[in-house]
């Protein structure tokens, strides 16, 4: 979603944004002072290169098993502290199906708390849509437990009228996955339900590229898998960006891979320039958002540079 069309949305989300970031243990960022005379020439105080910048380690866990198991908690928190109706309005059927599949895998054996959150805060129309991906029986049970009587009545009548549609389920991504952290799809879906990423697929994809460049190349030891995996996400979720970036698999993979490598190989203000360039592949959705540091400061260096007026 382009900047001009998101100004009103940004205003509506601003109130929930601070609460969401606070839940993640992050204090909302204030504008940074102009400490450097120019951009891209090194940083006298280079940032500590945290391996996990998306969320604090205490939230994500420390092992692959803990991290994947806690993905359900991450999505629950995003829907609890954000605006579920706004999140739902921006999710495609394929993205919602992906969230349903990954959530069920992560939440195996536990009560589906996310469905109760949705039932208590979504409209009957949205809940019918959720039923198409999470399953009618599970959503109906959550509606009976947690929805208001009026929403429950309308939801039941819509289900009885055959309004539940089953979208084409997105298949699990092929190829390698991070050995210590989240899969690319999990990263994308988390950003997609967060304040900045929920503005549109391009914003979430931009944050995924920036996060991958800053964190996953070192873990994977190769950038080609990142380029291939994120190219698949782009093709599935943002066809317009696919055409703008390259239009062919080889072209998109190369540009994404190069962008991630540029981020990985730089630091400070130079990394900020690389992050801004990566954001440019998607027409600068994070740069033009109400928070150019990104969700959980994923584009922190770009935010620093923008605070200094580097890209004005």
């Amino acid at each position: 979603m382009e900047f001009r069309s998101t100004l009103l949305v940004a205003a509506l989300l601003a109130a929930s944004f601070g609460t969401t970031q606070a839940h993640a243990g992050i204090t909302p960022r204030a504008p940074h002072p102009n400490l450097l005379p120019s951009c891209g020439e090194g940083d006298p105080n280079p940032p500590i290169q945290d391996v996990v910048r998306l969320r604090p380690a205490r939230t994500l866990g420390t092992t692959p098993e803990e991290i994947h198991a806690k993905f359900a908690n991450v999505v629950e928190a995003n829907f609890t502290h954000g605006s579920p109706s706004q999140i739902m309005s921006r999710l495609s059927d394929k993205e919602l199906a992906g969230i349903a599949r990954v959530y069920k895998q992560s939440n195996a054996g536990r009560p589906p708390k996310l469905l109760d959150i949705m039932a208590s805060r979504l409209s009957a129309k949205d809940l019918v849509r959720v039923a198409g991906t999470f399953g009618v029986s599970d959503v109906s049970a959550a509606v009976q437990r947690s929805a208001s009587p009026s929403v429950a009545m309308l939801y039941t009548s819509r289900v009885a009228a055959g309004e539940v549609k089953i979208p084409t389920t997105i298949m699990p991504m092929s190829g390698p996955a991070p050995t210590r952290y989240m899969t690319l799809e999990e990263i994308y879906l988390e950003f997609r339900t967060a304040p900045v990423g929920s503005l549109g697929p391009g914003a979430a994809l931009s944050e995924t590229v920036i996060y991958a460049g800053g964190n996953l190349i070192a873990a994977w030891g190769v950038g080609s898998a990142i380029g291939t995996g994120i190219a698949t996400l782009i093709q599935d979720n943002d066809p317009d960006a696919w055409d703008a970036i390259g239009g062919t698999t080889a072209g998109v993979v190369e540009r994404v891979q190069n962008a991630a490598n540029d981020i990985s190989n730089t630091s400070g203000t130079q990394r900020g320039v690389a992050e801004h360039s990566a954001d440019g592949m998607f027409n600068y959705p994070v740069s033009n958002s109400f928070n150019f540091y990104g969700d959980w400061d994923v584009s922190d260096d770009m935010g620093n540079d923008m605070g200094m007026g580097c890209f004005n």
Side-chain angles (χ1 to χ4, degrees):
M1 184 177 298
E2 301 301 323
F3 177 53
R4 296 299 180 187
S5 63
T6 61
L7 286 176
L8 179 59
V9 172
L12 294 173
L13 276 174
S16 65
F17 172 72
T19 305
T20 304
Q21 301 291 59
H23 176 83
I26 301 296
T27 302
R29 300 296 295 265
H32 285 58
N34 189 348
L35 300 177
L36 298 176
S38 59
C39 303
E41 297 180 359
D43 190 338
N45 299 294
I48 296 173
Q49 299 303 312
D50 290 331
V51 177
V52 176
R53 297 174 67 185
L54 186 59
R55 283 183 182 270
R58 66 180 179 274
T59 302
L60 276 178
T62 58
T63 68
E65 292 76 16
E66 288 177 339
I67 290 165
H68 290 295
K70 290 187 177 183
F71 178 80
N73 297 339
V74 167
V75 176
E76 290 167 359
N78 286 345
F79 273 84
T80 298
H81 297 280
S83 171
S85 61
Q86 290 176 344
I87 292 172
M88 284 292 297
S89 70
R90 300 186 184 109
L91 290 174
S92 68
D93 287 343
K94 295 180 75 172
E95 290 169 329
L96 188 58
I99 290 172
R101 175 172 51 77
V102 178
Y103 179 83
K104 289 177 180 179
Q105 292 170 350
S106 175
N107 200 53
R110 296 190 294 271
K113 180 180 177 181
L114 178 61
L115 296 184
D116 288 281
I117 295 169
M118 290 176 164
S120 67
R121 301 184 65 187
L122 290 176
S123 67
K125 181 179 179 180
D126 279 339
L127 289 170
V128 167
R129 189 169 169 227
V130 172
T133 54
F134 280 82
V136 174
S137 60
D138 287 343
V139 174
S140 296
V143 167
Q144 294 304 313
R145 289 192 302 266
S146 304
S148 67
S150 60
V151 169
M153 182 180 301
L154 185 54
Y155 165 83
T156 301
S157 66
R158 285 178 176 271
V159 171
E163 293 186 18
V164 175
K165 305 298 181 184
I166 309 298
T168 302
T169 302
I170 52 178
M171 299 301 293
M173 287 178 55
S174 59
T179 56
R180 295 177 62 192
Y181 308 114
M182 304 165 78
T183 66
L184 286 171
E185 185 183 26
E186 287 173 335
I187 293 167
Y188 170 75
L189 292 174
E190 172 169 357
F191 280 131
R192 193 67 181 92
T193 57
V196 177
S198 69
L199 294 176
L205 287 164
S206 175
E207 291 183 314
T208 302
V209 173
I210 292 170
Y211 177 78
N215 299 280
L216 296 186
I217 287 182
W220 290 16
V222 62
S224 59
I226 289 173
T228 301
I230 294 179
T232 300
L233 290 172
I234 295 170
Q235 189 171 38
D236 283 346
N237 299 293
D238 198 347
D240 290 340
W242 175 270
D243 293 335
I245 291 171
T248 66
T249 299
V252 175
V253 168
E254 181 179 12
R255 284 201 62 187
V256 171
Q257 182 177 331
N258 289 342
N261 282 332
D262 287 345
I263 293 168
S264 177
N265 292 329
T266 54
S267 62
T269 54
Q270 292 176 332
R271 175 170 286 193
V273 172
E275 291 175 350
H276 189 254
S277 177
D279 195 40
M281 291 193 297
F282 305 94
N283 202 22
Y284 303 105
V286 179
S287 301
N288 291 334
S289 74
F290 60 93
N291 176 27
F292 39 68
Y293 293 97
D295 294 305
W296 301 285
D297 289 347
V298 68
S299 53
D300 184 68
D301 295 302
M302 179 179 76
N304 291 340
D305 285 359
M306 293 188 74
M308 294 187 293
C310 296
F311 308 120
N312 292 340

